[in-house]
Amino acid sequence: MSMAAPQPQTAVDPLLRVEHLSMRFGGLVAIDDVSFEAPQNQITAIIGPNGAGKTTVFNCLTGFYKPTIGRLTLNAPHGRFLLEQIDGFRIAQRARVARTFQNIRLFAGMSVLENLIVAQHNKLMRASGMTLGGLFGFGGYREAERQAVELARDWLDRTALTAHADAPAGSLPYGGQRRLEIARAMCIDPVLLCLDEPAAGLNARESHELNELLLRIRDEHKIGVLLIEHDMSVVMGISDHIVVLDYGRKIADGAPAAIRQDANVIRAYLGEPEHEDLPSAVAADIEKRGG
Amino acid sequence: MAANATSTSPAIGVAATLDWPEILKTAVFAAAITFLLAISIVGVETQSGPGGLTLSTRFPEVAIAVVGVFFGSMALSLIRGGYPVPAMIGAGLVTGVLLVVLVLEAENPSLKYLLPFQAVVIDWGAVIIPAIICVRAAQVAWRARRQATGAGDTAIGIQIGGLARRLMPWVGLIMVVVAIALPWLPFGSSQRKIIDICTLVLTYIMLGWGLNIVVGLAGLLDLGYVAFYAVGAYSYAMLGANFGWSFWICLPLAGIFAASFGVLLGFPVLRLRGDYLAIVTLGFGEMVRIILINWWWVTGGPNGINKVARPSFFGFTFERTAPEGHRTVYDLFSSVFGQEFTYNPYWRVVFLYYLILACALVTNVFTLRVRRMPLGRAWEALREDETACRALGINPTNTKLTAFAVGAMFAGFAGSFFGARQGFVSPESFVFIESAVILAIVVLGGLGSQVGIVLAAIVLIGLPELFRELKDYRMLAFGMGMVLIMIWRPGGLLAHRDPTIRLPKDPAKPKSPA
Amino acid sequence: MEYFLQQLINGLTLGAVYGLIAIGYTMVYGIVGMINFAHGDIYMIGAFNALICFLVLGVAGITWVPLALLIVLIVSVVLTSVYGWSVERIAYRPLRGQSRLAPLISAIGMSIFLQNYVLLLHGARGKPLRAPISGGFTLMEHDGFTVQLSFVQMGIIGITVLLMLGFTYVITQTKLGRQQRACEQDMKMASLLGVDINRTISVTFVLGAGLAAVAGMMVTMYYGVIDFYIGFVAGIKAFTAAVLGGIGSLPGAMLGGLLIGLIEVFWSGYFTVEYKDVAAFSVLVLVLIFRPTGLLGRPEVEKV
């Protein structure tokens, strides 16, 4: 797991810049003035105890929530987008930010391949002349569909799902569903991939394979990856950069090695020093798994 | 509750000891429930007389029902308890005796006092219940014997399922061939009646296929589908009556009107959750009907519009004599085939039959094709998970709206056909129960299954039409049938879904996939 | 002013009836998440049970009105509750855990069945009943226009208020209410904690049917004529009321019922009778568009 991570590039504009993001639900402050950056070609992990507001950040980024305050700038190769001003599905459609969900959301009744084809909806919709052309057999729909299938096949191969291509997605084992969800997100050809706890529920081997997959995605597709994860072996093993949230605030931001030593982080995860009896074991565990 | 105490069944085939007190308790409980259900509504009859309501009693019926339920419950307990054979014999005896009496009674009405109920139809209904118990017991007994001899029947079940699946495309083709040949088959005197029924069934098949796009594919629960049917029928009737336009101009217009209506209604409500959408569409359906009744200077009020223009064969009329400047279809055929054809009312029936067959097939082909388009796949994806769709950049509102509009369009086509066939339209054809029936066809058929919808339409529309003599009991059986089929097959008759695309073999890798 | 007052009284009376039926919808929806489509027909069965009971008492010679009313109330509630129980047992319980559509279709089937069952057994003609109670107070008299509050109306509003209080007590204070609320929140968890789910759901249907029976009895006395079809229209309106008030909420159902009753009566009184149902449905659509969880429903935060 000690793969050499590329050195952080000090580009002028990072792929994603989150500035002063706050999200309130009534009186509850879920995120409080959080700012961070997620560069292209890097894996940025967002970690923090349960309820720290990690998924809420994702929901703001991907248009499920409208942030109360804040600016979310995406400097994609195909343009510059202010995500907080784009609504809902258009973030995936135009800005090409893809995401997965904490509790897997596949189209369970449709086949694995269909899941990947649906992800290429907007591209295929244009090719089919908003359906009318495709319906009557005009235009290049057939060819577009063939290309879509080839892209899907590529991802099926990478996620080791080719043998199950025609099976209903809901019938896959848990790990397969996680991988399919990532493959599906990649099929929209994203510039930023947001993964919400992709390793949850995976065993050690599957989790290791996931690391490999994510590193390949980073290195071959040159996209930014944003990762929420509790599994420290994944976080420490593959992320180039870690943002730590606690109670909706950012308490640390830096390279994995620095985060591991950060006093604030240790306190957030392990509690105040006076309760050290139990957490020391956990601390050792984190050390061991991270190192 | 005593009734579900027995639902934990011991392994079938193992000779279990029967818990007689429990069985008796269950049976008494069931009988008591039956008594309470029947005592007032069944046991007392209200008759409208000149001086208000008078009462008469029907206590023998109540008693028979209670006794019947008591023994029926015991029989079911026996089957569950691992002793299907006595239950089978008992239920078989009851069925046999009732059948014999029923058959003899047809010849000799003096035997009527031997029958449990006064209405013969109810007696036939009463035969069915012990017959079902008997068949069920026999099935359980047979399975137990097979298990005892070591042969599982699940394998056979899977084989049959697989066979049915492979035959499915052929079933569709055979159905189309039969449907095309139908008017030429020799049915004798009942031919016209059969074609009429088939036309009706096909109308519902088309409506079912149309609603299937909305409910089966896009997963939008629409309880007011009949409103679009009404819009289609009335657009055709009004355009035809006011402007004298022909059926062939009005048909597409009716579809367009219905679709626009769908967009108009759908736009504000499609973001609602499933059940709310259901109730709002139900409300819309009722509103349309109320407006049709009360906006009488446009719609003709409760009487509707009479004298709706009958469709012509591309301008050639089916009437006995053609109006000025037109020809009849008989003249046309005479001149084309060089053989003398004269006025024959059956021609119009056959023409209407082929017309609706063509409309229905267009609906079917559209659905089959659109399912392989991105739009169709987006509909299904939306049904599966709307949140995931948004995360993939699919516009949920537009996608739902297209499903709603396309479904409405086909209802509009079907509606204008309906108006053309009837020759009149009136609001009473578009009551809620019609929406319910169409929805039932879609769900019973197995959501999304085209062939299933055909089967369900035949079962729900065709069978009751054939047994029209039972007129009053028809809807009773219809309602109970819906419940029973749902319990028997909650996923619908044909619940299997085939993927719309399969991964082709990779040309780069010659080795076959695992 | 007098006209307005009279309409208000009539609207409240009608609204109380809708509210009682709506509670049945809202409870069932809250606990099993399905539209109990046959509920309107249970109400119709309740009305018939009450009618038959009135007639039988008439034949039996029990003419002292309070006693007769009490007997009718008890008998029709008990008999109708059995219908509620049976409908759940036959048509819904086998389908628990299936897709959302299966029980809905089953419920529509049950509704068709019950309507035709009564149609066959009692005929299609309206059944008139001579009013067992008549008279009332004249609240106001002005320019020859009288504002009347009949005893039946008083009874309907009074009984409804009592039942509402009783129900609020049952739901908030008793073990049964706790079990119901537990099932509403999380059925699997409730069953793990020893709540008998089947029993709780059955009781919910029985209670709903009981309230519908009361509503049916009151309507029989109020309008003096019933037929096999009254369940459908009342059912839709009551469901509208339940959604309007916020489905799953008991006070919401009552509020929704009152609003639908008032809208209907005032629309008929001041505009056109023909479009009163259109008015009621339009309000529903507007509420759902602008406040999709109903007036008193809990707002739902989408979890992703």
Side-chain angles (χ1 to χ4, degrees), chain A residues 240-264:
Chain A
D240 305 303
H241 176 97
I242 298 178
V243 176
V244 190
L245 298 185
D246 190 25
Y247 292 113
R249 290 161 170 278
K250 185 172 89 169
I251 56 170
D253 188 343
I259 291 296
R260 217 175 290 160
Q261 310 300 330
D262 191 293
N264 282 333

Side-chain angles (χ1 to χ4, degrees), chain A residues 12-33:
Chain A
V12 190
D13 271 327
L15 177 65
L16 174 74
R17 176 177 284 152
V18 174
E19 291 162 292
H20 305 293
L21 174 65
S22 292
M23 182 77 215
R24 294 197 189 92
F25 298 102
L28 178 82
V29 182
I31 311 174
D32 189 10
D33 197 26

Side-chain angles (χ1 to χ4, degrees), chain B residues 1 3-4 7 29 32-42 44-48 51-55 58 80 122 215 219 221 223 268-269 271-280 282-284 286-287 289-291 294-295 297 387 390 431-433 436-437 439-440 443-444 447 472-473 475-480 482-484 486-487 490-491, chain C residues 29 33-35 37 45 48-49 51-52 55-56 59 78-79 82-83 85-86 89-91 93-95 98-110 112-122 125-130 198-199 202 229 232 236 239-240 243 246-247 274-275 277-278 281-282 284-285 288-289 292-294 300 302-304:
Chain B
M1 299 290 131
N4 46 342
S7 61
F29 181 79
I33 289 285
T34 313
F35 175 76
L36 289 176
L37 287 178
I39 182 64
S40 86
I41 302 273
V42 179
V44 182
E45 186 178 9
T46 54
Q47 282 156 335
S48 307
L53 291 177
T54 55
L55 296 182
R58 285 182 288 217
R80 287 208 192 97
I122 299 281
V215 181
L221 192 45
L223 287 181
V269 300
R271 71 194 72 186
L272 296 178
R273 267 205 344 235
D275 306 290
Y276 286 166
L277 183 68
I279 200 76
V280 167
L282 193 161
F284 275 143
E286 285 295 292
M287 276 154 86
R289 195 176 59 86
I290 294 168
I291 291 169
N294 293 305
W295 202 19
W297 56 95
T387 304
R390 276 190 282 163
V431 290
F432 164 73
I433 199 79
V437 167
L439 181 67
V443 177
L444 290 180
L447 282 175
D472 295 338
Y473 300 92
M475 288 312 280
L476 188 78
F478 181 85
M480 209 45 194
M482 272 166 80
V483 175
L484 292 180
M486 230 50 256
I487 292 172
Chain C
Y29 192 92
M34 67 166 285
I35 303 175
F37 219 89
I45 296 264
F48 267 87
N49 274 329
L51 175 87
I52 289 168
L55 293 172
V56 169
V59 170
V78 168
L79 293 184
V82 176
Y83 272 90
W85 184 86
S86 309
R89 185 71 189 78
I90 294 171
R93 193 181 296 176
L95 291 173
Q98 297 291 342
S99 75
R100 220 163 28 81
L101 276 172
L104 182 72
I105 295 295
S106 182
I108 292 174
M110 209 59 195
I112 296 173
F113 174 81
L114 286 176
Q115 272 176 30
N116 285 277
Y117 167 78
V118 173
L119 170 67
L120 280 175
L121 288 166
H122 293 273
R125 292 171 78 181
K127 303 284 174 187
L129 177 78
R130 201 175 304 120
N198 281 338
R199 192 172 156 276
S202 283
Y229 200 62
F232 176 69
I236 296 185
F239 188 78
T240 303
V243 175
I247 201 148
E274 292 84 16
Y275 288 109
D277 295 352
V278 174
F281 286 132
S282 309
L284 172 78
V285 172
L288 283 182
I289 291 169
T293 47
E300 251 175 62
E302 187 182 25
K303 287 289 264 184
V304 281

Side-chain angles (χ1 to χ4, degrees), chain B residues 348-428:
Chain B
R348 189 211 300 276
V349 176
V350 173
F351 169 69
L352 286 171
Y353 171 78
Y354 278 130
L355 183 60
I356 187 65
L357 180 64
C359 287
L361 286 178
V362 166
T363 315
N364 183 32
V365 169
F366 173 85
T367 308
L368 291 180
R369 277 200 75 104
V370 86
R371 274 194 63 199
R372 290 160 204 281
M373 296 282 130
L375 181 63
R377 294 202 184 103
W379 286 341
E380 291 199 71
L382 212 56
R383 174 194 68 200
E384 300 281 324
D385 194 328
E386 187 176 334
T387 304
C389 277
R390 276 190 282 163
L392 295 175
I394 296 172
N395 183 338
T397 315
N398 284 359
T399 311
K400 284 181 185 174
L401 216 50
T402 49
F404 217 61
V406 168
M409 181 181 74
F410 285 116
F413 291 151
S416 69
F417 171 81
F418 173 82
R421 174 171 178 246
Q422 294 280 87
F424 68 92
V425 290
S426 71
E428 67 191 76

Side-chain angles (χ1 to χ4, degrees), chain B residues 311-323 326-337 339-349 351:
Chain B
S312 58
F313 185 76
F314 304 102
F316 297 90
T317 169
F318 285 93
E319 304 298 328
R320 190 183 293 271
T321 49
H326 289 270
R327 293 168 67 196
T328 64
V329 68
Y330 315 104
D331 292 342
L332 173 75
F333 274 64
S334 302
S335 59
V336 170
F337 294 103
Q339 190 186 343
E340 193 61 26
F341 290 103
T342 53
Y343 173 69
N344 183 352
Y346 184 57
W347 281 36
R348 189 211 300 276
V349 176
F351 169 69

